[in-house]
Amino acid sequence: MNKITLLIHCKDRSNIIASVTNFIAKEGGNIVYIDQHVDREQDIFFMRLESEFTIDSFTTSGFKELFKNTLASEFDMKWRIYSSEVKPKMALFISKYDHCLYDLLGRYNSGELNLEIPFIISNHLDLKPIADNFKIPFHHIPVTKNTKNEAESKQLELLEKHNIDFIVLARYMQIVSRKLISKYPNKIINIHHSFLPAFVGAKPYHSAYKRGVKIIGATSHYVTEELDAGPIIEQGVAHVSHTHSIQDLIAKGRDLEKIVLANAVKLHTDRKVMVYNNKTVIFY
C-alpha cells in the first residue's frame, strides 16, 4: 500500500475540494484524512489530505506529475506531495544545554519520531558523550568570530552530503546565518525560552521573575533572518507565582522547552504545518 500526504494552498474559489477528491478517486485513491481552512482576510484556501493507494501501478512520482499538469495548473496551486515511505532526515544543532537533546533522542530511540538523524553538530564538545550513547555521529565544529564563515561551510557540506531535509536548533547558542536560512527556508526549527513576543534576550526567566509574571512559556518557530520573529509552530505555558524562585522558573521553563520543541518537530515531520506570510496553519 502506498500512502501520500498532499498539502495545498491557493486563492479560494468554488469546487477545489470536489475537484481534488474526485481526482484522487479517479486515480484509485482512498482518502483517510482531509481538513481545510480558508483565511478570509487573505482569501487563501489551505488543505491537507492523506490518501492510500492499493493499485500496483501507482507511483508517487507519476502522481505528482499528473497532479502538476492538471489540478495544480488549473487552480494555480502551491502544493507538496510526500510519500509515507520516505522518512525526513533531521540534523540536530546543539551547544551545551542538554535537556532538549536528551528529550528528542529519547523520543527518537523509542520510535516516537518518524524521522532519521544522520548526525549531530555542536560548537562545543560537552554533549558528545550523549551522542555516543545514542550511537549518532557527532561533529564538533567550533564557531568563533574569526571562523564563522569556515564553520558554516563545514555545516553546509555535511547537510548536503547527507541530504538533510530540515534542521532543529536544540538550544544551539549561535545565530544562524542568512546563507543557511536561504538554503533551508521554513526548514530550521528553533526553540525559544520565552512565550514570544515577550522577554527576548539571554535571560528571559530572570526578566519574568523581576516582572512578577504569573505565566511563563516557550515558543518553537521557524528561523528567519529577523531574530526570533519566524512563523510560530508551537507554544506552551506554565503557571507560576510569587513563591517560585528564579531556579524554579528555569526548571519549569526547561520542561516546557522540551515538550514544545518535540511537538513542533512532530508537527513538521508529520507534514501538518503550512507557512504563509510568516504565519502558520497547523492541521492537528
Side-chain angles (χ1 to χ4, degrees):
M1 180 185 294
N2 296 283
K3 185 176 181 180
I4 63 163
T5 299
L6 171 63
L7 301 177
I8 292 168
H9 78 265
C10 60
K11 274 289 184 183
D12 188 34
R13 53 182 277 194
S14 63
N15 207 38
I16 300 174
I17 296 175
S19 297
V20 173
T21 54
N22 287 333
F23 176 85
I24 288 174
K26 184 181 177 182
E27 295 305 311
N30 177 40
I31 296 171
V32 295
Y33 170 94
I34 186 170
D35 198 1
Q36 58 83 30
H37 168 70
V38 176
D39 184 327
R40 295 296 183 187
E41 290 186 2
Q42 301 291 329
D43 197 29
I44 300 295
F45 173 86
F46 300 88
M47 185 166 75
R48 180 180 185 274
L49 179 150
E50 295 178 9
S51 181
E52 296 174 344
F53 295 83
T54 55
I55 55 175
D56 294 335
S57 60
F58 177 86
T59 63
T60 303
S61 59
F63 184 86
K64 283 182 178 179
E65 190 65 23
L66 187 59
F67 186 83
K68 173 185 175 183
N69 294 327
T70 53
L71 289 188
S73 176
E74 178 184 347
F75 289 97
D76 194 21
M77 295 174 173
K78 304 294 182 184
W79 59 279
R80 287 168 288 163
I81 294 175
Y82 301 98
S83 169
S84 63
E85 295 179 353
V86 180
K87 289 185 178 182
K89 295 181 179 180
M90 174 182 80
L92 278 171
F93 281 38
I94 59 174
S95 289
K96 291 185 176 184
Y97 292 107
D98 62 5
H99 54 291
C100 288
L101 177 64
Y102 266 124
D103 186 74
L104 287 174
L105 294 184
R107 294 174 190 269
Y108 170 71
N109 210 38
S110 68
E112 184 180 334
L113 300 177
N114 184 38
L115 48 78
E116 297 178 13
I117 306 178
F119 61 84
I120 295 170
I121 285 177
S122 180
N123 56 326
H124 298 283
L125 284 166
D126 300 57
L127 304 186
K128 185 179 186 299
I130 300 174
D132 294 342
N133 187 46
F134 282 91
K135 297 180 173 56
I136 296 177
F138 180 94
H139 297 276
H140 177 222
I141 303 179
V143 180
T144 66
K145 186 178 180 180
N146 295 327
T147 65
K148 194 169 181 65
N149 289 337
E150 181 185 347
E152 182 188 72
S153 296
K154 290 179 180 178
Q155 292 170 352
L156 284 168
E157 184 180 342
L158 279 169
L159 293 167
E160 292 170 3
K161 178 182 177 181
H162 292 273
N163 296 313
I164 294 299
D165 295 298
F166 71 107
I167 301 165
V168 171
L169 310 180
R171 294 304 308 274
Y172 181 64
M173 307 305 287
Q174 292 288 326
I175 295 175
V176 179
S177 74
R178 178 182 300 178
K179 185 176 181 181
L180 192 59
I181 294 169
S182 66
K183 289 274 187 181
Y184 291 89
N186 298 321
K187 293 180 181 178
I188 304 176
I189 299 174
N190 185 43
I191 180 67
H192 187 85
H193 48 184
S194 181
F195 191 82
L196 294 174
F199 297 130
V200 297
K203 294 185 175 182
Y205 300 122
H206 292 71
S207 300
Y209 176 79
K210 289 177 181 177
R211 287 289 303 275
V213 302
K214 305 308 177 191
I215 291 176
I216 60 169
T219 300
S220 187
H221 62 92
Y222 290 117
V223 175
T224 58
E225 290 183 30
E226 187 177 353
L227 190 63
D228 295 330
I232 292 171
I233 308 167
E234 180 75 335
Q235 291 182 296
V237 296
H239 288 273
V240 296
S241 75
H242 60 278
T243 64
H244 290 96
S245 67
I246 290 176
Q247 290 306 313
D248 291 333
L249 266 61
I250 291 173
K252 279 180 171 287
R254 287 181 177 175
D255 283 341
L256 280 173
E257 290 164 22
K258 291 187 292 186
I259 294 168
V260 169
L261 180 58
N263 286 342
V265 170
K266 282 190 283 187
L267 287 168
H268 180 90
T269 303
D270 293 341
R271 319 299 188 185
K272 293 183 176 181
V273 184
M274 298 184 71
V275 179
Y276 185 78
N277 283 353
N278 208 47
K279 290 172 63 178
T280 55
V281 174
I282 311 288
F283 292 104
Y284 290 100

